[in-house]
Each structure stands twice: as C-alpha cells, then as structure tokens.
Amino acid sequence: MNKNYYAILMAGGVGSRFWPVSTQDFPKQFHDMLGTGETLIQKTFNRLATLIPKENIFILTNERYNDLVFQQLPDVTKRQVVLEPAMRNTAPCILYASLKIQKENKDAIMIVAPSDHWIEDERAFANNVQQAFNFCENNNALMTLGITPTFPNTGYGYIEYNKTSDSNIKPVAQFREKPDYDTAKSFISQGNFLWNAGIFMWSVKSVIEAFKNNQPDLFNLFEKGITTYNTDFEDNFIKDNYGKAENISVDYAIMEKSKNVYVIPATFDWNDLGTWGSLYDKLEKDDNANAVVNARTITEDATGNMIRTKANKVVVVDGLQDYIIVDKDEVLLIFPKAKEQDIKKVLQNVKNKFGDHLG
C-alpha cells in the first residue's frame, strides 16, 4: 500500500435524529445500526483500509468518545486518535488533523470521510477514491465525491459542476445550500447537480494552503501549535486553544471560497444514514414492507414500519402504517416516519421533562 495515503475518519457527531438508540454518551457511529455485526465506525474503517494503510487512518472524534474508539477499533494506536476538547464543526478539526499529518509526512494525500455513511459497492468507492488521489498527487486540487440525485431531496446541499467538461473529473461551479422542493426539482432537471456527500480528497499541502488563504485566523491559531504536534505537549496546546476556534464547516471555510475545486460523480450507491427513514430505505423488508432490526415480530395490518429493539425481543404491531418503533432501555419511541425530522425536538422535550440521562 502507498505509505503517503492517509484518511481522517470523522466520528465526533451525536446523531440525535437516531434517538433513542443514538445518545450523547453513545452516538450512532458506535452502533450496529444495520444489524450486520459491525458498527458504522468499524465498517467505515475497514472500507478505508482496503486502500489506505491501517496505521495512517486517523480517527477524529470528541474526547468523550476516546474509550469507545479503542473498544471498537482495538488495533489503532493513541497516535491515530485525534481528540476535540470542544465541538467546533468540521473546519477546525480537519485543519488540526491535517497539520499533524503534514508534520509526519509532507507528501501525504488524504481522504476525509464521515464514519456513518452506508456504501454498498465498496470496490467502486475505492476506485473513485484512487482516481481522486491520482489527480491530487499531480494537481493543486480540492476534490469531493458527489452523488447523482435519485429524487429532489431537500435535505442535502448540492454541487453544481461545469457542464462543458468531458472528463469524469468535473470542475465545480458552485456549492448550493439545501434547496426547497421546487429548486431541487430544477437542479435535477439541469443535469449537472450532485448531492454533497461530505467526502473530500486532497494533498495535505493543498488543503493547508487553502486554509491559509481563506481562513487566516483559523490557520494562525492552529499553526502556532506546530512545534507541539505529535509530541507530549500537544494535548496541553489543544486544550488551551481549541475552544478559541470559530465554529465553521469545511464547506464554508474553504470549499466554497476556493477556485481549484473538482468533483467526481460517484459510481457507488450511497446513503448518509441521517434518519430512521434513511435506515429503513436500506434495510431488507418483510412481506408487509416492515424493516426489522433484532426484534421478532408479529404484525397485523401493519406496513412500512421501522422496528428496532434489543436482540430477540418479541414485538406485536397491529394497525400501524409508516411508523418508527424503537425500544431502548428506559425509552420506547413510537413516532410517525413523516415527522422524523422532529425527533431532535422531541429529544429536547424529553430531556427537559425527565433529565439529560435519557439523551
């Protein structure tokens, strides 16, 4: 394997729309959401390890999840786990990890990948990433993988690429915010819009240059610690300075401001597993279109439901259509799939009424 290849596996999110399974203390990336025998972070790590040396896969997560990372990825070393002492969105942590990697290997080519995505054709994924790496080795480029839209989704940002390009590596014209339904329909009809999957590739030199040019304050904050990175003094510097970083996404910080941005339309199926409904879409269904994880079910006049419990729990459902039914310890959630975006709000109400320990 190419020793210059690195990965930053993003594993710091809370995944509150998967409550009550996903909680602040034990978020979704550390659960086997699909019932495959592997948690999402394990599945993502193994996918990246087909292309990238295992020792070059860095796990970027909040410090409260440090023990969970080592429990689920016992082969990783302390060097590979990059801890955020505060939540500051994706730009600060990516810059921090990139400076650490550059100090170790100035020729590094990197992928930044979320830990909670579902990708079925892993060989196609590896081929797309390899193509991007080849391009980044020879060009000053910030690259992303875009997903060909299958319907006018209003929950994703979109990437508009240059229509005139014949190459399958497309120059990006602009990033577009999450649209309303009519705008999303118009994007799809134009034929040169992709869903933004939040998967990025670049050389460490290119990404740090982009931060230096577009986010000088953020760059200067983290660059001050360069002498401490990969030493025993790093933790103290980060504890003292990380909280000063602006709360900003990598999209806003550098991708939308840079002129050297390219996208590859992905050749693999993808789902960001952001909600119970998106999980339902990817699971096998029973004869009544119910998706079941772990439970043993008896259903009558019950269709289109997402049912998840602890292993082998018996669940009887009669007269429910298109509901989320999730049983976890002290919480039972029975909630319409059509309102799944409101689960965050419900979680806050539960915390307010019954205490933070439930979320």
Side-chain angles (χ1 to χ4, degrees):
M1 282 193 179
N2 191 324
K3 296 294 185 185
N4 290 338
Y5 288 177
Y6 283 75
I8 298 175
L9 198 167
M10 306 286 284
V14 175
S16 53
R17 286 177 296 178
F18 272 111
W19 182 79
V21 167
S22 182
T23 64
Q24 281 200 324
D25 290 332
F26 207 116
K28 67 173 177 176
Q29 59 268 29
F30 300 106
H31 288 277
D32 177 8
M33 298 300 298
L34 292 153
T36 62
E38 282 187 311
T39 65
L40 293 177
I41 193 172
Q42 289 169 335
K43 205 159 182 56
T44 305
F45 186 93
N46 292 333
R47 182 187 307 128
L48 293 170
T50 62
L51 185 66
I52 292 154
K54 283 186 178 182
E55 65 274 16
N56 287 356
I57 301 175
F58 285 69
I59 318 301
L60 217 160
T61 192
N62 191 276
E63 61 184 12
R64 72 195 298 177
Y65 307 136
N66 184 55
D67 291 346
L68 280 172
V69 169
F70 285 112
Q71 285 166 23
Q72 298 203 0
L73 301 172
D75 292 337
V76 306
T77 63
K78 186 174 184 295
R79 161 187 158 273
Q80 291 169 258
V81 181
V82 183
L83 299 175
E84 309 164 79
M87 289 194 170
R88 285 295 182 272
N89 215 314
T90 53
C93 57
I94 288 172
L95 174 58
Y96 167 35
S98 299
L99 287 165
K100 279 173 61 64
I101 290 169
Q102 185 187 49
K103 189 174 179 185
E104 179 176 296
N105 182 348
K106 63 182 175 54
D107 298 318
I109 307 291
M110 305 157 44
I111 177 171
V112 176
S115 60
D116 52 3
H117 287 183
W118 178 91
I119 291 170
E120 188 168 356
D121 189 343
E122 299 196 340
R123 181 175 294 181
F125 170 80
N127 288 341
N128 283 164
V129 174
Q130 183 66 67
Q131 185 182 12
F133 276 8
N134 293 344
F135 190 79
C136 292
E137 277 181 312
N138 299 304
N139 298 276
N140 177 16
L142 306 177
M143 298 199 68
T144 184
L145 297 179
I147 310 299
T148 302
T150 51
F151 67 100
N153 194 317
T154 58
Y156 299 142
Y158 284 70
I159 301 166
E160 180 183 355
Y161 63 80
N162 189 329
K163 265 185 175 175
T164 60
S165 172
D166 292 330
S167 166
N168 58 351
I169 296 177
K170 313 284 189 186
V172 170
Q174 59 180 325
F175 288 82
R176 304 292 285 265
E177 296 298 314
K178 294 175 183 177
D180 59 30
Y181 183 74
D182 288 338
T183 307
K185 275 179 34 180
S186 116
F187 285 172
I188 290 176
S189 68
Q190 291 175 59
N192 62 323
F193 283 80
L194 303 166
W195 289 337
N196 184 357
I199 303 171
F200 306 105
M201 292 80 43
W202 41 53
S203 70
V204 71
K205 182 181 175 187
S206 292
V207 70
I208 289 173
E209 184 180 300
F211 273 109
K212 189 175 182 179
N213 292 340
N214 295 300
Q215 298 295 330
D217 291 345
L218 196 64
F219 174 79
N220 289 334
L221 175 66
F222 284 97
E223 203 267 341
K224 276 190 308 187
I226 200 76
T227 57
T228 73
Y229 295 155
N230 309 335
T231 76
D232 292 341
F233 303 101
E234 178 180 337
D235 289 351
N236 288 335
F237 173 82
I238 289 300
K239 278 188 172 64
D240 290 343
N241 290 279
Y242 199 91
K244 301 173 188 173
E246 184 181 354
N247 190 330
I248 185 171
S249 74
V250 74
D251 298 77
Y252 283 123
I254 61 171
M255 298 301 280
E256 294 182 10
K257 294 177 167 61
S258 300
K259 303 298 182 193
N260 56 332
V261 183
Y262 298 83
V263 63
I264 295 176
T267 57
F268 51 85
D269 288 334
W270 169 91
N271 190 304
D272 76 337
L273 292 186
T275 63
W276 286 112
S278 65
L279 180 63
Y280 170 88
D281 290 340
K282 289 304 166 193
L283 291 169
E284 288 186 21
K285 318 294 190 292
D286 66 14
D287 292 342
N288 296 306
N290 298 303
V292 180
V293 178
N294 298 334
R296 293 180 288 166
T297 58
I298 297 173
T299 57
E300 186 73 34
D301 187 27
T303 59
N305 298 300
M306 171 73 234
I307 304 168
R308 190 187 198 278
T309 68
K310 65 182 182 182
N312 295 319
K313 186 156 192 170
V314 174
V315 180
V316 181
V317 185
D318 190 335
L320 277 185
Q321 279 79 40
D322 298 321
Y323 265 71
I324 299 160
I325 304 163
V326 181
D327 183 42
K328 169 91 177 347
D329 300 333
E330 295 175 71
V331 179
L332 172 62
L333 177 74
I334 304 170
F335 204 76
K337 272 197 312 198
K339 295 174 66 178
E340 65 178 2
Q341 297 294 341
D342 294 339
I343 287 178
K344 274 187 178 182
K345 205 185 307 175
V346 171
L347 170 57
Q348 196 53 55
N349 291 341
V350 168
K351 285 181 177 182
N352 292 342
K353 189 164 184 177
F354 302 114
D356 283 349
H357 70 286
L358 292 174

